[in-house]
Amino acid sequence: MIIGLPKEIKKQEYRVALTPAGCEMIVRQGQSVVVQAGAGEGSGFPDSEYEKAGAKLVTEAAEVWAEADMIVKVKEPLQEEFGYFRQDQLLFTYLHLAAAPELAKALADKRVTAIAYETIQAPNGSLPLLTPMSEVAGRMSVQEGAKYLEAFQGGRGVLLGGVPGVPPAEVIIIGGGIVGTNAAKMALGLGAEVVVLEKSGERMRYLDDVFQGRLRTLMSNPYNIAQAVRKADLLIGAVLVPGARAPRLVSEEMVKTMKKGAVIVDVAVDQGGSIATIDRATTHENPVFEKYGVIHYAVANMPGAVPRTSTLALTNVTIDYVLQLASKGFQETIKSNAMLALGVNAYRGAITHPHVAAAVEQPYTPLESLW
């Protein structure tokens, strides 16, 4: 199999889906790798390291897509990449199709086989390929929120941890999963008062145990969310339904009650967002906008700001799947790996994940019916 590694074209996206070490593993397995020149530079991997690992370097993205049987990426293909799609080509990347119905249609129309990192799911419900980026984004949410609370950034002028004699900031986190847990770690480490709203009693007990009572947990329901949002200096949206659009849990009316200069960071924006007043994703170049006196941070590729860390964390967990797919082929791998099968979002012109199909308003076709 020929594995293709194009350079990411999303604005200010510097991650790369394959490191030279991963490339070497693929080549040693007897497969071939074609890399677009400059693909790894943003993460600190020069072309020379890919060449030493046995990859073939090409100049244009079109060459990568044309030669490769499987394309590995970080971010979902953008409109200008749709023309590269071809029947039965395997695409392995984050897709977030619930927020990109036009991409879902293009994949189905071109009969691309598309596996989404974010819907590969273990029997215990965990999302192993989403976890490392959720860890990064959760930690960054507090880092970025603290910055935008500074007065010259338009914020309230509040230090998260306060100082002796001055109370710390109130950090409200909606969702106690991987993002929420990592946000809580950072916020508590900086000395903030932290409240996590979560709908699972079991998860709340876990958080209470892990943090030894240093944060407060609340049942996530509209009443409690409204009360907590009003008090927030920093509000972090950290909810996820695998493959589906993020639920809108914070209404426009709730945002209107927030303190002037408070900050919202919505980590769920790449799945459509959980905050009603965030109607668009932003970029690292222009990450925030103000509405009702509240600063909104809505960058859809937050881990792209720390590409070296993010690339290494991501490729640590993706490379085994790449090796399996390359050595066994798609069908054999999927039939023997139920976790990976849940990652298949599109196959032979059909949408094969139920949550994705519902989100993009397309018919759902069970994968096993297409063998």
Side-chain angles (χ1 to χ4, degrees):
M1 183 180 284
I2 301 174
I3 292 85
L5 180 67
K7 186 175 182 179
E8 298 295 326
I9 64 169
K10 190 179 183 77
K11 194 166 187 178
Q12 296 178 315
E13 179 54 74
Y14 302 115
R15 289 173 289 178
V16 65
L18 191 65
T19 65
C23 176
E24 185 178 86
M25 293 170 73
I26 294 168
V27 171
R28 284 187 176 182
Q29 190 177 261
Q31 318 298 333
S32 300
V33 182
V34 57
V35 177
Q36 184 181 358
E41 287 180 356
S43 293
F45 300 115
D47 292 342
S48 59
E49 291 191 21
Y50 287 99
E51 287 185 303
K52 287 178 185 176
K56 172 186 174 183
L57 258 68
V58 299
T59 304
E60 301 297 329
E63 298 175 79
V64 177
W65 287 84
E67 288 192 36
D69 304 300
M70 174 168 63
I71 294 289
V72 290
K73 289 181 86 283
V74 177
K75 291 303 291 178
E76 70 282 354
L78 301 183
Q79 187 81 42
E80 49 265 55
E81 294 172 298
F82 292 3
Y84 299 140
F85 294 170
R86 69 173 193 270
Q87 183 171 332
D88 297 328
Q89 188 170 51
L90 178 57
L91 174 64
F92 192 37
T93 186
Y94 287 118
L95 286 171
H96 299 294
L97 294 181
E102 70 290 343
L103 173 57
K105 183 177 187 304
L107 292 169
D109 288 349
K110 294 292 183 71
R111 299 176 68 85
V112 173
T113 300
I115 305 176
Y117 295 161
E118 73 274 7
T119 62
I120 293 171
Q121 193 164 10
N124 66 0
S126 65
L127 304 166
L129 272 63
L130 190 61
T131 293
M133 295 303 93
S134 296
E135 291 169 337
V136 172
R139 296 179 186 210
M140 282 191 66
S141 67
V142 175
Q143 183 174 299
E144 295 299 310
K147 178 171 72 177
Y148 287 101
L149 276 172
E150 296 172 3
F152 71 88
Q153 299 283 3
R156 296 193 68 227
V158 172
L159 183 66
L160 277 191
V163 292
V166 180
E170 290 269 355
V171 177
I172 307 299
I173 302 168
I174 303 178
I178 300 298
V179 170
T181 300
N182 280 271
K185 286 180 183 177
M186 292 292 285
L188 288 169
L190 290 169
E193 291 285 338
V194 178
V195 177
V196 177
L197 291 106
E198 168 60 47
K199 65 180 183 179
S200 166
E202 181 179 353
R203 188 66 184 180
M204 284 191 282
R205 284 187 286 275
Y206 167 83
L207 292 170
D208 188 66
D209 285 345
V210 166
F211 291 107
Q212 299 182 329
R214 291 188 299 135
L215 55 70
R216 288 182 292 139
T217 56
L218 283 174
M219 178 57 68
S220 182
N221 58 48
Y223 179 85
N224 283 343
I225 291 173
Q227 295 299 310
V229 164
R230 185 180 299 117
K231 299 174 183 177
D233 295 296
L234 171 59
L235 172 64
I236 297 171
V239 297
L240 174 73
V241 178
R245 195 197 183 288
R248 284 284 174 88
L249 299 180
V250 178
S251 69
E252 190 165 356
E253 291 305 312
M254 292 180 193
V255 174
K256 288 179 181 178
T257 71
M258 293 180 71
K259 305 167 186 174
K260 183 178 180 181
V263 175
I264 297 173
V265 178
D266 192 0
V267 183
V269 69
D270 55 4
Q271 286 288 104
S274 59
I275 314 294
T277 45
I278 293 182
D279 55 2
R280 65 187 186 278
T282 60
T283 66
H284 290 292
E285 186 175 43
N286 294 294
V288 298
F289 61 90
E290 179 270 329
K291 194 166 187 178
Y292 303 124
V294 176
I295 307 300
H296 293 62
Y297 180 99
V299 176
N301 63 326
M302 291 175 67
V306 286
R308 181 75 179 189
T309 297
S310 297
T311 288
L312 291 170
L314 177 61
T315 56
N316 282 344
V317 295
T318 57
I319 186 61
D320 285 345
Y321 293 96
V322 173
L323 292 170
Q324 287 181 52
L325 288 163
S327 64
K328 297 180 181 179
F330 172 74
Q331 284 203 21
E332 185 179 341
T333 303
I334 295 302
K335 288 178 179 178
S336 63
N337 190 326
M339 286 173 53
L340 192 58
L342 292 172
V344 182
N345 283 196
Y347 181 57
R348 291 186 173 174
I351 301 299
T352 54
H353 192 286
H355 289 163
V356 171
V360 301
E361 299 181 345
Q362 294 290 326
Y364 162 60
T365 304
L367 180 62
E368 58 272 15
S369 70
L370 299 172
W371 297 133

